[in-house]
Amino acid sequence: MSDLFAPAGPGGRTLLGRQAQVLLGFALPRADCLLAGIAQVIARAPLRQLTTPGGHVMQVAMTNCGLLGWTSDRRGYRYADRDPGSGRPWPAFPEGFLTLATDAAAEAGFPGYRPDACLINRYAPGTRLSLHVDRDEDDPVAPIVSVSLGLPATFLWGGLARSDRTVRVPLAHGDVVVWGGADRMRFHGVLPVPPGTHPQAGAFRYNLTFRKVR
Ligand code: MD6
Ligand code: FE
């Protein structure tokens, strides 16, 4: 893809498109705080493997925090203001979540970002996320801020059509991907997470994706 630039060093960025970039190590100074927040959310809204409308059980375990949470079952994908597992509202953003999201968005050229949802994904080794577009949000151009924590993984970054070629983007603990605008509807996925253990996160990769849904 002609708009993929060579990765920079830590503190640098990888441009994935006109309005998409990886901020290398951006969340590193805040990683312990973010992992503590994830543990708090999981204690109140347990991770679970959701069923797709087609009846498949997703490999990635998910939960949410914020006003709205992404969920899936046989009836479809949607955002809900309550955890379907407990009937209770999703936990609020833990300390440090909102500032990380707004700071990263601003750094990537999206000032004034106000996300109302944060999906928490947990990948065990071998777990993958197939190629998809996030299109359940009302706002089709507001950025998504995606924070990688724990085990490294390879992100697949495609185009606006499923058949477009993909590039492989390595994502490590503390990397933040931001994309919006013209790049917001591009296909993407995660290759199977290689085995390993991470000093702060154990045998898992965690991903936070902040979204502006409404
Ligand atoms: C992940 N992320 O990195 C999966 N979607 O674990 C996503 O599917 C994703 O990182 C939209 C925007 C950013 C993302
Ligand atoms: Fe996605």
Side-chain angles (χ1 to χ4, degrees), residues 6 10 12 23 52 64 83 85 99 105-106 117 119 141 145 169 175 191-192 199 203:
L23 304 174
T52 67
N64 295 274
D83 177 353
T99 50
L119 173 65
V141 293
V145 171
V169 182
D175 289 347
L191 291 181

Side-chain angles (χ1 to χ4, degrees), residues 25-32 149 173-176:
F26 188 83
L28 213 44
R30 319 185 203 193
D32 290 348
L149 296 165
H173 181 66
D175 289 347
V176 180

Side-chain angles (χ1 to χ4, degrees), residues 71-93:
T71 188
S72 173
D73 60 21
R74 298 302 286 254
R75 283 151 46 222
Y77 303 130
R78 70 190 154 278
Y79 280 91
D81 59 5
R82 285 172 182 269
D83 177 353
S86 66
R88 295 188 300 173
W90 298 105
F93 288 149

Side-chain angles (χ1 to χ4, degrees), residues 121 123 129 132 134 144 146 155 179 188 190 205 207 209:
N121 293 149
Y123 298 73
L129 186 65
H132 68 278
D134 294 82
I144 293 183
S146 168
F155 197 57
W179 75 78
H188 57 278
V190 179
R205 171 178 187 261
N207 173 259
T209 55

